Amino acid sequence: MSLSFDRVSNYAPMERRLMAIAGSEASDIHIGRSRQDLHGTVRRMLARKRVLDVYAHLQESHTQLVGTAEQHLETVIPAYTHGVPSQPTTFAHQLLAYGASIERTTESLRQAFNRLNHSPLGSGAGTTSGIEIDRPMLARLLGFSGPVENSYGRQLHR
């Protein structure tokens, strides 16, 4: 039995499908959570995946670039100033400048991922829930480093 779902913009159809598969107890999964934090959590999960995919591609590009630079430590090329050849440099030096740029970008992505990697699940429509739920555990189960500290925090990181 597959539990895959088409992307939906409203939780209600998904809940009906879960109940058809798992029975009426599946309705309890919505207790203590609102559509806003369910959608916010899914958006963060999707964004985390995208950030990690881009990060992996940049790391691969950086590795290849450094490998090429190692092969051209003594390959002399002209450096340019305002489009005019100015002084000699090496191809490795030029490539490693691009490598440094990739390193800065990957560091920015790492920082973005760390900010994004907090779950809003359980924050409700903004002031959490009257039902006691273990937000840190929910975050861990979904692979987040923890919950957003302030229940309104889910709205601040778009």
Side-chain angles (χ1 to χ4, degrees), residues 77-81 84-89:
I77 63 169
Y80 287 84
T81 303
V84 178
S86 59
Q87 59 185 337
T89 188

Side-chain angles (χ1 to χ4, degrees), residues 62 65-66 92-108:
H62 185 267
L65 196 141
V66 168
H93 185 232
Q94 181 74 33
L95 291 175
L96 293 176
Y98 293 113
S101 177
I102 291 173
E103 288 173 353
R104 289 188 299 274
T105 301
T106 54
E107 174 59 21
S108 295

Side-chain angles (χ1 to χ4, degrees), residues 60 70 113:
E60 180 182 331
E70 287 173 348
F113 181 85

Side-chain angles (χ1 to χ4, degrees), residues 27-94:
S27 179
D28 292 342
I29 67 169
H30 192 67
I31 291 175
R33 295 179 281 288
S34 70
R35 283 183 227 151
Q36 288 93 336
D37 59 324
L38 288 169
H39 286 283
T41 301
V42 170
R43 278 193 306 270
R44 282 179 184 239
M45 292 171 82
L46 294 171
R48 282 187 318 182
K49 181 180 180 340
R50 289 184 187 118
V51 166
L52 291 175
D53 288 346
V54 170
Y55 188 91
H57 287 295
L58 285 171
Q59 288 294 95
E60 180 182 331
S61 296
H62 185 267
T63 299
Q64 292 176 0
L65 196 141
V66 168
T68 302
E70 287 173 348
Q71 297 170 13
H72 293 280
L73 294 173
E74 296 183 24
T75 304
V76 177
I77 63 169
Y80 287 84
T81 303
H82 303 291
V84 178
S86 59
Q87 59 185 337
T89 188
T90 64
F91 189 44
H93 185 232
Q94 181 74 33

